[in-house]
Each structure stands twice: as structure tokens, then as C-alpha cells.
């Protein structure tokens, strides 16, 4: 995929200019054909999204396999493999009617047996976050090949399940997986699905190729002939490949902040958070309560008041971030609560709180010292850790930054608890019960990453979380989650002061890009390429 | 026969070193916090503790360190490099897939650095302290002082983004589906920039060594004799000086073959090439011990092989070395 030469570009531009009046008056009609090249930043061990819930898997597997439901342009769940659904009033049985006439890439028909097998053997047992979501799933009944009834031991809120099944509801073929160890199945890296693209090849360290599925159930789709994911680990090199036209789409903030802003100003490209609204994250500041100083609420509040978050965002993160207000980000319109306690920048108040807590300034103006572990994913975390270090020095807390790689960070913070402060990301996944409340609920086993490992247990918040998880009335659930955020903001066990949405960088040739809130993860059945 | 014997002796002497390196590396990696399941969790974006425990059993991480080390060494004796945690394939297969790209890049850039370094070194020595010498030496210094990732990125910006002459990265053009000669040409085309980037730094070293060595040999008695015989200057340089001046260059090749394998991590990342350097880096980050140890093993074998060839070359260039023994 070398880009057009300069002369070609000029000719094409000339042609486009001549044709412009016509193109402007007519509604753009999708064009068949073309190869979409996508930046693939981290090599994956598996590509099957029924077994691993992560953006690195969705970006590939989400085009090959399909979930029960998808998110529509309005942000609400829409049918995909499931056409309709209903819940019994007690929330213990949820019935899905499945789409007819869908076939797997190997030609076998898609039936309720596939849903049953995937739900019981993969979502409930292996899929990360799926195991928590489906913890109380007891059985999936299949009265006929196109009906699946999910039976739960405790009430399952329909809203939670529907939103959960967009990311955690990818279906795998039973006939491929039913024999042998699921974890070692060759289809894990050569997925078989019902999606618009059929897996062709995964050449480690180089590329993944998928081609158009001619038998796709949506008529006349997809438009693209092929999708090629190019493995490029160096961020600066990936930006250069975008400029050279070798890559047309870079998902999930995989370029440097500077390059995203630079390409965003270039009219050949678009750098936008559109199409990632379903994938919000917050920057965290995690406190270890085993340090007596940090177990004191006054100290945690002082830390929050000592950080000038708007200043940091404006000067380091640019337009792709905004001040956070708690664990539920503002894009999650169904649950986002207004009027929760906030901590503005106030250095004098921070100093006063630290004095009150009994930590007077000692030699050199230092009150006490802490270690800060920044997570190694993302340039913003690294910048934020330095900002924390400098801001806290102003109020007399000396911070030593300890940088580790991914495995080292997870082990040290969430298993060995050998940290004082840590900073990283919390990913919000469609519903607070999926991956948000675990940051606050006590009793999480040691070593489970991104869960409450702070040595902090709060009965109030535990009760709210448990009630909300099984509340089937949407209005009551929303009220409970407002209480949850309020309590989280009062206690600041972890504090979530910055809200971000992943940034996609598109070449403008890519059309229908970002037309739903989880577009980078979705199937791209209606994506097409304008001529170069 | 004699060569074979020499080879065997060399190999025999290297085995204890190899074992020490592998065992040392194994233990060293135990000191790094976190294991491959932690790395996998990071990639997955979370999972519960029961899942992690099950995965540790799956990867055999629940056994004591010494048991795992013993197990590894025992497998190595049977020439079994084990199974890669990140790739889910035998390590030997994973490495074999990556070896061609690394070897191609390494041979191409070493040859380029050697040939150009030799030519420029001779040129500089013959015009010593005049402008060609100053120019060549300054350029050499610039190449040597510039970090390779910067060179690589600048080369991409100039030749791929602005001029659009060469591809910005990758090992061949996947979208075109070339075969045969077309594929070979395509790969060569993709390797131009990485080869130059990796080669330039080594070129600087070769050039300086060649220049110094030429100057030294030029001042020896037998050169004066050759000149006194009435030989032309070109003949003196080609037949008498060059051969003697080449010895330190050949030594350097042997030394740098190892460095080249490691040094290509940066170039491979910048140009998105599927080589051993990136594989090694990835294995460290992912704590994939088997793959990492496998790479060390293969690299060590490569270095031993190259040094053996260098020894043979010595004998060819300077017959005194063999007869002296």
C-alpha cells in the first residue's frame, strides 16, 4: 500500500475539484472495494473476543465475530445476532430471539446452541469481566434453534445485560470449540465468526489480513474488499506511515499526543473522539491505606486540592480530555449524576488540611515522602505522574516516582501492595457494574488488577454496589449509582479527576467512520473508502 | 579436517559460557516483578483472581523457580526450546519465522557498512589531512554521533512522507500479494531505508578503523620496498597495503555481529520489521521466558558461527596466523 505519488495526488485533487459541484449536490453513495489499512499497536495472544475483552482484540476480532447486540448511533443497544429480547418481571429469565439465516464463515448455520455454548463455557468461565457479569447465570435454555433463554439465580437488570452484551457478548461457533481445551484451540488466533470479514492470515510482527465475507447476512455488505492490520509498535513511525498513506486509521489513542494534534490540523486527516464514546476512561489516583498518612481522609482531600487539574489538562492533554467528576464519566448519560462533591484547586486549603492532620513541615519544608507508581500504558499517565510530583512538592509532600513495565506495575500495586500512590486508567464499560464498581467494592481477592486493593473497606459503598447490581428497576438503579458516585467522591479511595475518550485518527478517505459509540470495536460492515 | 576440528573445539569452549548465560538470564528475569500472566492481564485490561491462578497453572508458573530452571535446561539438552506463552507456538517456530528478516537486515547493513567503510577509509587515508579526508572523517563522526532511531525517523519523513520514493515501513507490501521475484524485489525495496539506517552508524566505525589501519601499514618498510620496485601507487595500495590493513576490519565484523542483533531493536521498531530484536523486546515486556531464552540461545549460536568464519578469514588474509600455531 504505497501512497499515490505527488503527481498522482495533484491529478486526483484536480479531478476532485472539477467534480466537486456534482459531488456536493448528490448524496454520497458508498463505493464497493478497497483495502482499509489499520494501525495495530500491540501484538495479541488471541483474537477471539468471546475469550478476551480488550480493545486490542475488538479492533480485529470485532470484524470477524459478532456480538448479540451492538450500540446504535444514538448510543442505545441495537440488534445484531439477537433480534429482540424480553425479561421476566423478576429479572431471572431473559429471552433472546436470534437472527435467522446467519451462517458461520465455514458454512455451518448459526443457532441457539452456539449462544448456549459460548455463554456457559466462555463468558461465564473464561472471558474477563464476563465471568463477573455472568456470575449468577445458571443455564441457557434453547427451546428452538432461534431462541435462547438466559436463566439467572439472582435478578439480572435488563439494561445491564444488554449493555454488557455489546462488548461481552461475542458469540463463538460451538462446532469449532466443543472438543479439546478452549484455551489452546487454533481458532483463537484464526477466528471463525459470522461477521462481515473472514479471517485470512495473522503474520506475527507484521500484519493480519481479513477479506470480505460474500455471504454476510446484511445484504450487499460489507463494502470493503479487505482489512489489513499493520503491526507498528513505534508511535512516531505509525504517524509517519499515516502520512505516507500506508495506514488509513489509527485507533484508541495509539499515536503520541503531539502527533494526534498535528495530524488533526492536517486536512487529509481527522483526529477525533467520535466513535469512541462507549469507551471512556478516567485517570486515577490510587491511595494505599496501609500508609497511615494516606488512610487519613484529610490527607487524601489535601492531595486532591493540591492538584490544578484544569491547568494540567489545558497544557498537557489538549482538547481530548476534560476534568472528571467521579467514577461514572459524563458520556454515560444513563447513569451520570449531577452535583457530586468536587475538589477544586486550593493550595492554601491543602496546606491547612495537612497541618490539621498532624503533618507539620519538617526539614526543607517536607511533611512526608511517598512513592508514586505510574502505569506504563499511555503518555498522559507519565505526564500526570510528573505533574503530581511537582504539585505535591508545593504542599510539602515529597514524591518519588517508580516506573515499572506492565507486568511489574500490576504485580507491585495490585498483588504486592508495595506502593503509596499509583496512577493509571479506569475503563468505563457501558455500565458501572461491569468494571467500575470493582474499584470500590471491598473483598476483591489479592492480585486482581484494577480492583479495590487499597486496604480500604466501606460498608456504605459495598451496600450501594450490591443493591444496584441486582436492582431491576432502571430508575432505582440510576438513583443508587448517584449515591455510589457521591460516596466515592466523599471518600476518595481512588480519585478519578480526569475524563478522557480514546482518540481515533482517520484518513479522510475512510467514510462512515465513527458512526456509532463503539465504532473502533464494531464490525465496520458499512465502512467504505473514497477514492484516493 | 583441520577446519572441522577447529570448529568443534570452538563449539566445545562455548558451551559452558552458553549455559551460564542462559541460567543467569533465567534467574535474572525472576527478579523482575510480575510474570507472563500479569503481562497478559495488562493486555486484557483486567480479569479476576481465579482466572489468573488458572492461567498460572496453565503456563506452569506455579512450580518453584529451581524446578522450572532444571526443567528448562533438561529440555535444552534435548534441543527443545519449549513453548512460547505469547505466541502459543513452539519457540523454535517463532524464532525461525523471525530469523530471515533479521539475517537479511544484518547481512545487508554489515555488507554495506563494510564495503562503504573500506572504500571511504582508503580514500581518506590516501588523501590524509586534505579536504577529502576532512570531509569523510567529519561525516563519519556525524553518523557515529547520531542515534539510529532519529536517523530512521528522519529518513522516513524525507524519503517516504515528503518525497514518497520509498515505503515507510513493513517487510513487503501485504496488500499487493506479490510472489516470486516480485516479492523479493518488494522486500529489497522495503529494506533500503532500514539497511542504510542501521549501516550508517557501523559505517562510521569501519571508516575510522580502515583509515587508521591504512595509515599505519602505509608507513611500513615493505610498502617502501614496493614503491622502490617502481609499482604504481594503485597497485601498492591494492596488492600490498589493503590486505594487511583489512585484519582489524575483519576482527570488528566478528565483534559487531552480536551488536547488530541487539542494535536492530530500534531499527526494527521504527521500520516495523518482524525481526529478532523486536521479538526479544516483546518477550521481556510480556515476560515470555521461553522465547527470550530461545532468542539468546540462537543469537549466541549466530555469534559463535560468525566468529568462527572470522577466524577462517584471518588465516586466509594472513597465512602467518595458522603457521604460527
Amino acid at each position: 500500500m504505497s501512497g499515490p505519488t505527488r503527481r498522482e495526488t495533484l491529478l486526483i485533487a484536480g479531478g476532485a475539484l472539477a467534480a466537486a459541484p456534482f459531488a456536493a449536490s448528490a448524496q454520497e453513495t458508498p463505493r464497493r472495494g478497497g483495502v482499509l489499512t489499520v494501525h495495530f499497536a500491540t501484538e495479541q495472544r488471541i483474537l477471539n473476543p468471546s475469550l478476551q475483552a480488550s480493545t486490542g482484540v475488538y479492533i480485529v476480532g470485532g470484524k470477524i465475530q459478532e456480538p448479540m447486540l451492538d450500540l446504535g448511533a444514538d448510543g442505545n443497544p441495537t440488534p445484531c445476532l439477537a433480534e429482540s429480547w424480553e425479561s421476566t418481571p423478576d429479572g431471572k429469565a431473559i429471552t433472546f430471539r436470534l437472527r435467522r439465516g446467519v451462517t458461520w464463515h465455514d458454512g455451518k448455520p448459526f443457532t441457539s446452541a452456539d449462544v448456549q455454548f459460548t455463554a456457559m463455557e466462555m463468558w461465564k468461565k473464561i472471558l474477563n469481566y464476563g465471568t463477573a457479569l455472568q456470575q449468577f447465570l445458571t443455564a441457557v435454555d434453547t427451546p428452538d434453534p432461534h431462541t435462547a433463554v438466559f436463566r439467572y439465580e439472582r435478578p439480572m437488570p435488563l439494561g445491564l445485560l444488554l449493555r454488557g452484551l455489546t462488548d461481552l457478548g461475542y458469540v463463538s461457533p460451538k462446532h469449532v470449540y466443543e472438543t479439546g481445551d478452549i484455551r489452546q484451540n487454533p481458532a483463537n488466533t484464526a477466528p471463525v465468526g459470522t461477521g462481515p470479514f473472514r479471517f485470512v492470515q495473522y503474520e506475527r510482527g507484521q500484519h493480519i489480513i481479513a477479506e470480505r465475507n460474500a455471504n454476510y447476512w446484511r445484504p450487499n455488505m460489507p463494502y470493503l474488499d479487505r482489512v489489513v492490520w499493520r503491526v507498528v509498535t513505534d508511535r512516531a513511525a505509525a504517524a509517519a506511515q499515516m502520512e505516507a498513506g500506508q495506514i488509513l486509521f489509527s485507533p484508541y489513542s495509539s499515536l503520541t499526543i503531539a502527533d494526534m494534534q498535528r495530524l488533526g490540523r492536517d486536512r487529509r486527516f481527522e483526529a477525533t473522539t467520535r466513535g469512541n464514546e462507549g469507551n471512556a476512561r478516567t485517570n486515577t489516583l490510587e491511595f494505599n491505606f496501609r500508609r497511615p498518612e494516606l488512610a487519613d481522609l484529610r490527607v487524601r482531600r489535601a492531595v486532591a486540592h493540591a492538584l490544578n487539574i484544569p491547568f494540567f489538562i489545558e497544557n498537557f492533554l489538549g482538547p481530548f480530555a476534560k476534568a472528571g467528576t467521579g467514577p461514572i464519566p459524563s458520556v454515560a448519560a444513563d447513569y451520570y449524576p449531577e452535583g457530586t462533591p468536587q475538589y477544586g484547586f486550593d493550595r492554601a486549603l491543602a496546606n491547612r488540611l495537612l497541618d490539621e492532620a498532624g503533618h507539620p513541615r519538617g526539614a526543607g519544608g517536607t511533611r512526608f515522602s511517598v512513592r508514586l507508581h505510574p502505569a506504563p500504558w499511555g503518555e498522559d499517565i507519565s505526564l500526570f505522574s510528573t505533574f503530581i510530583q511537582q504539585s505535591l512538592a508545593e504542599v510539602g509532600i515529597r514524591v518519588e516516582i517508580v516506573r515499572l513495565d506492565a507486568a511489574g506495575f500490576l504485580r507491585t500495586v495490585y498483588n504486592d501492595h508495595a506502593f503509596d500512590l499509583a496512577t493509571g486508567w479506569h475503563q468505563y464499560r457501558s455500565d458501572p457494574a461491569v468494571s467500575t464498581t470493582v474499584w470500590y467494592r471491598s473483598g476483591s481477592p489479592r492480585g486482581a488488577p484494577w480492583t479495590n486493593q487499597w486496604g480500604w473497606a466501606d460498608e456504605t459503598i459495598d451496600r450501594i454496589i450490591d443493591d444496584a447490581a441486582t436492582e431491576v428497576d432502571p430508575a432505582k438503579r440510576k438513583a443508587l449509582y448517584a449515591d455510589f458516585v457521591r460516596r466515592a467522591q466523599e471518600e476518595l479511595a481512588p480519585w478519578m479527576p480526569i475524563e478522557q475518550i480514546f482518540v481515533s485518527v482517520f484518513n479522510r478517505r475512510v467514510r462512515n467512520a465513527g458512526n456509532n459509540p463503539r465504532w473502533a470495536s464494531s464490525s465496520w460492515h458499512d465502512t467504505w473508502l473514497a477514492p484516493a | 579436517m583441520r577446519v572441522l576440528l577447529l570448529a568443534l573445539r570452538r563449539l566445545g569452549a562455548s558451551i559452558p559460557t552458553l549455559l551460564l548465560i542462559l541460567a543467569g538470564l533465567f534467574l535474572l528475569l525472576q527478579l523482575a516483578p510480575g510474570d507472563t500472566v500479569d503481562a497478559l492481564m495488562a493486555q486484557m485490561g483486567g480479569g479476576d483472581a481465579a482466572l489468573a491462578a488458572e492461567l498460572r497453572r496453565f503456563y506452569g508458573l506455579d512450580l518453584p523457580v529451581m524446578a522450572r530452571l532444571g526443567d528448562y535446561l533438561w529440555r535444552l539438552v534435548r534441543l527443545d526450546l519449549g513453548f512460547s506463552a505469547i505466541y502459543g507456538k513452539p519457540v523454535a517456530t517463532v524464532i525461525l519465522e523471525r530469523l530471515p528478516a533479521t539475517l537479511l537486515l544484518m547481512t545487508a547493513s554489515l555488507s554495506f557498512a563494510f564495503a562503504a567503510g573500506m572504500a571511504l577509509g582508503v580514500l581518506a587515508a590516501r588523501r590524509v589531512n586534505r579536504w577529502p579526508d576532512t570531509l569523510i572523517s567529519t561525516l563519519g563522526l556525524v553518523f557515529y554521533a547520531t542515534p539510529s532511531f532519529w536517523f530512521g525517523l528522519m529518513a522516513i519523513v524525507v524519503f517516504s512522507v515528503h518525497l514518497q520514493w520509498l515505503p515507510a515501513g513493513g517487510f513487503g507490501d501485504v496488500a499487493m500479494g506479490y510472489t516470486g521475484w516480485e516479492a523479493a524485489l518488494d522486500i529489497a525495496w522495503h529494506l533500503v531505508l532500514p539497511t542504510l539506517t542501521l549501516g550508517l552508524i557501523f559505517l562510521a566505525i569501519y571508516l575510522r578503523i580502515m583509515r587508521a589501519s591504512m595509515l599505519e601499514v602505509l608507513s611500513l618498510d615493505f610498502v617502501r620496498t614496493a614503491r622502490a620496485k617502481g609499482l604504481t601507487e594503485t597497485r601498492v595500495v591494492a596488492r600490498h597495503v589493503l590486505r594487511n590493513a583489512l585484519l582489524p576490519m575483519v576482527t570488528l565484523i566478528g565483534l559487531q555481529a552480536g551488536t547488530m542483533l541487539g542494535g536492530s531493536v530500534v531499527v526494527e521498531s521504527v521500520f516495523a520489521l518482524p525481526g529478532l530484536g523486536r521479538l526479544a523486546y516483546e518477550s521481556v515486556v510480556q515476560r515470555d521466558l521461553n522465547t527470550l531464552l530461545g532468542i539468546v540461545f540462537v543469537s549466541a549460536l549466530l555469534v559463535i558461527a560468525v566468529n568462527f568464519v572470522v577466524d577462517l578469514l584471518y588465516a586466509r588474509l594472513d597465512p602467518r596466523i595458522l603457521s604460527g600455531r
Side-chain angles (χ1 to χ4, degrees):
Chain A
M1 257 318 279
S2 58
T5 63
R6 294 203 113 182
R7 188 179 299 162
E8 279 167 12
T9 315
L10 281 174
L11 285 174
I12 292 161
L17 223 64
F22 175 72
S25 61
Q27 171 76 29
E28 269 197 328
T29 36
R31 189 171 151 272
R32 259 295 314 278
V35 179
L36 177 61
T37 44
V38 181
H39 177 200
F40 192 54
T42 51
E43 201 92 50
Q44 295 297 319
R45 298 191 197 189
I46 61 172
L47 297 176
N48 181 344
S50 322
L51 294 173
Q52 182 174 323
S54 69
T55 50
V57 173
Y58 296 139
I59 189 67
V60 180
K63 329 300 159 221
I64 297 162
Q65 292 180 247
E66 289 178 301
M68 296 283 277
L69 302 103
D70 211 335
L71 289 183
D74 58 357
N76 287 316
T78 56
C80 190
L81 287 181
E83 276 186 314
S84 64
W85 43 83
E86 70 207 7
S87 172
T88 52
D90 66 357
K92 287 189 173 176
I94 294 169
T95 304
F96 290 96
R97 308 248 171 247
L98 305 178
R99 193 171 296 281
R100 287 157 194 269
V102 176
T103 53
W104 295 101
H105 292 158
D106 59 9
K108 300 251 171 38
F110 159 75
T111 67
S112 54
D114 296 312
V115 174
Q116 180 193 45
F117 178 83
T118 312
M120 297 307 290
E121 300 301 320
M122 297 181 171
W123 303 344
K124 189 175 163 65
K125 288 184 185 163
I126 299 178
L127 179 67
N128 51 322
Y129 296 112
T131 53
L133 181 72
Q134 307 293 1
Q135 191 185 354
F136 299 110
L137 176 70
T138 51
V140 177
D141 295 345
T142 51
D144 66 69
H146 302 289
T147 309
V149 185
F150 284 56
R151 301 209 176 273
Y152 289 92
E153 196 183 317
R154 297 194 193 170
M156 167 59 90
L158 186 63
L160 166 61
L161 185 65
L162 295 183
R163 289 195 163 273
L165 287 185
T166 57
D167 273 353
L168 306 175
Y170 280 86
V171 184
S172 285
K174 182 181 177 184
H175 62 274
V176 172
Y177 278 96
E178 63 188 337
T179 50
D181 184 353
I182 289 177
R183 282 185 206 287
Q184 286 179 311
N185 197 301
N188 292 348
T189 47
V192 177
T194 56
F197 297 95
R198 186 197 299 267
F199 174 84
V200 177
Q201 187 195 28
Y202 185 1
E203 199 70 53
R204 294 280 183 169
Q206 295 191 58
H207 56 253
I208 304 173
I209 302 174
E211 64 180 12
R212 184 173 191 272
N213 172 12
N215 299 321
Y216 188 51
W217 54 269
R218 283 182 170 104
N220 304 322
M221 289 189 182
Y223 298 120
L224 298 167
D225 281 341
R226 283 182 147 197
V227 182
V228 174
W229 293 263
R230 300 180 71 113
V231 180
V232 185
T233 45
D234 186 88
R235 288 163 178 251
Q241 291 209 13
M242 284 217 67
E243 284 189 277
Q246 286 191 315
I247 291 177
L248 298 177
F249 168 47
S250 176
Y252 306 128
S253 305
S254 303
L255 305 178
T256 62
I257 296 174
D259 273 334
M260 290 191 293
Q261 292 183 352
R262 184 172 60 86
L263 292 181
R265 285 191 295 270
D266 188 322
R267 61 183 180 81
R268 290 172 298 164
F269 305 102
E270 185 185 12
T272 176
T273 56
R274 179 167 46 81
N276 293 319
E277 295 85 350
N279 223 325
R281 65 181 196 268
T282 60
N283 286 68
T284 61
L285 183 54
E286 299 149 37
F287 298 91
N288 192 344
F289 282 63
R290 296 165 192 90
R291 271 292 296 260
E293 295 94 330
L294 301 177
D296 186 332
L297 179 57
R298 287 169 297 192
V299 172
R300 298 199 298 280
R301 287 187 177 168
V303 169
H305 283 302
L307 300 180
N308 190 346
I309 298 297
F311 175 88
F312 173 71
I313 291 174
E314 195 188 323
N315 290 284
F316 293 93
L317 303 183
F320 305 122
K322 63 180 192 172
T325 54
I328 298 182
S330 60
V331 282
D334 338 15
Y335 295 115
Y336 180 73
E338 301 282 347
T340 50
Q342 299 302 323
Y343 302 85
F345 174 59
D346 188 341
R347 197 172 281 155
L349 177 58
N351 274 312
R352 204 158 61 239
L353 282 165
L354 289 169
D355 287 336
E356 277 173 28
H359 304 294
R361 284 182 190 262
T366 304
R367 298 173 194 272
F368 57 90
S369 299
V370 289
R371 289 165 300 173
L372 169 63
H373 285 69
W377 27 90
E379 198 187 349
D380 56 320
I381 300 175
S382 175
L383 292 169
F384 192 44
S385 66
T386 311
F387 184 73
I388 293 170
Q389 183 184 41
Q390 292 176 0
S391 305
L392 292 189
E394 297 284 330
V395 295
I397 302 176
R398 214 179 68 82
V399 175
E400 182 202 343
I401 296 180
V402 186
R403 290 185 200 282
L404 297 171
D405 67 0
F409 173 80
L410 288 191
R411 175 59 67 91
T412 309
V413 174
Y414 299 104
N415 190 72
D416 300 344
H417 303 148
F419 72 107
D420 298 321
L421 296 174
T423 179
W425 292 339
H426 146 248
Q427 297 260 2
Y428 180 84
R429 295 165 203 254
S430 346
D431 188 287
V434 179
S435 59
T436 300
T437 52
V438 287
W439 283 76
Y440 296 87
R441 179 75 173 83
S442 69
S444 175
R446 184 185 184 127
W450 298 288
T451 62
N452 178 353
Q453 299 287 339
W454 334 123
W456 171 72
D458 182 65
E459 276 178 27
T460 317
I461 210 155
D462 286 356
R463 202 185 53 242
I464 299 172
I465 291 169
D466 292 349
D467 289 350
T470 52
E471 177 57 64
V472 287
D473 180 350
K476 281 189 194 152
R477 255 190 118 220
K478 181 170 182 172
L480 280 167
Y481 281 124
D483 292 343
F484 160 72
V485 175
R486 205 163 292 119
R487 186 66 186 160
Q489 285 295 99
E490 276 167 10
E491 288 295 314
L492 299 182
W495 182 40
M496 306 200 174
I498 302 170
E499 192 176 309
Q500 299 194 63
I501 297 176
F502 280 119
V503 179
S504 296
V505 182
F506 301 115
N507 186 306
R508 286 194 191 268
R509 286 179 58 205
V510 185
R511 298 298 163 86
N512 278 345
N515 58 5
N516 75 60
R518 57 186 295 276
W519 185 79
S521 300
S522 74
S523 73
W524 299 349
H525 59 267
D526 63 347
T527 304
W528 59 282
L529 279 181
Chain B
M1 197 55 220
R2 198 163 161 196
V3 173
L4 205 69
L5 220 73
L6 190 64
L8 277 177
R9 217 170 48 219
R10 267 311 179 93
L11 201 67
S14 320
I15 283 176
T17 325
L18 202 55
L19 276 182
L20 264 181
I21 292 176
L22 289 175
L25 193 65
F26 185 94
L27 294 174
L28 201 64
L29 266 165
Q30 303 303 321
L31 295 180
D35 57 24
T36 193
V37 174
D38 289 312
L40 181 62
M41 283 288 172
Q43 206 179 64
M44 294 186 347
D48 57 47
L51 187 73
E54 202 196 312
L55 280 168
R56 288 212 166 83
R57 249 192 321 282
F58 179 73
Y59 289 120
L61 292 169
D62 48 348
L63 302 171
V65 175
M66 280 304 151
R68 275 188 288 144
L69 177 60
D71 190 41
Y72 183 79
L73 292 177
W74 173 234
R75 270 192 284 119
L76 206 61
V77 170
R78 289 173 290 157
L79 290 179
D80 175 10
L81 291 178
F83 212 71
S84 157
I86 28 177
Y87 295 106
K89 288 193 258 194
V91 169
T93 317
V94 174
I95 292 178
L96 269 181
E97 283 171 1
R98 298 291 184 105
L99 213 50
T102 309
L103 284 181
L104 257 179
L105 181 63
M106 195 172 80
T107 350
S109 43
L110 258 181
S111 317
F112 162 71
F114 188 83
M118 187 169 79
L120 288 174
V122 169
L123 204 68
R126 293 200 58 185
R127 304 269 188 279
V128 66
N129 293 337
R130 275 183 280 164
W131 71 264
D133 179 31
T134 317
L135 181 73
I136 291 172
S137 298
T138 314
L139 266 182
L141 203 63
V142 169
F143 292 153
Y144 188 59
T146 318
S148 53
F149 76 89
W150 189 84
F151 251 138
L153 286 175
M154 285 307 118
I156 292 177
V157 167
V158 174
F159 294 106
S160 306
V161 174
H162 285 290
L163 298 172
Q164 306 207 341
W165 289 351
L166 290 161
F171 190 65
D173 202 332
V174 281
M176 307 301 274
Y178 290 126
T179 49
W181 275 108
E182 271 183 328
L185 270 178
D186 187 46
I187 290 175
W189 194 234
H190 279 79
L191 279 181
V192 172
L193 285 183
T195 302
L196 289 181
T197 308
L198 189 58
L200 276 182
I201 287 175
F202 291 99
L203 169 102
I205 303 170
Y206 283 117
L207 172 148
R208 294 199 69 82
I209 297 280
M210 193 63 198
R211 177 178 173 276
S213 159
M214 279 289 287
L215 287 177
E216 194 192 320
V217 176
L218 272 171
S219 70
L220 292 181
D221 289 344
F222 74 90
V223 178
R224 199 177 314 138
T225 312
R227 281 190 181 133
K229 281 198 300 187
L231 294 181
T232 59
E233 190 62 20
T234 317
R235 213 174 152 74
V236 170
V237 168
R239 295 288 304 254
H240 295 267
V241 184
L242 198 59
R243 191 159 168 174
N244 283 289
L246 269 180
L247 274 181
M249 294 280 279
V250 174
T251 314
L252 212 59
I253 283 205
L255 286 177
Q256 287 190 333
T259 328
M260 279 262 188
L261 281 174
S264 47
V265 177
V266 171
V267 173
E268 283 166 19
S269 302
V270 167
F271 291 99
L273 291 173
L276 274 185
R278 242 174 78 201
L279 185 68
Y281 175 76
E282 200 105 322
S283 317
V284 174
V285 172
Q286 298 272 331
R287 303 282 190 279
D288 185 354
L289 209 58
N290 281 352
T291 306
L292 188 64
L293 291 171
I295 295 168
V296 171
F297 186 70
V298 169
S299 308
L301 285 184
L302 271 180
V303 171
I304 291 171
V306 170
N307 276 299
F308 180 68
V309 174
V310 167
D311 276 358
L312 292 184
L313 271 180
Y314 275 159
R316 180 109 191 86
L317 284 171
D318 188 349
R320 284 172 302 179
I321 292 181
L322 265 188
S323 58
R325 264 183 206 151

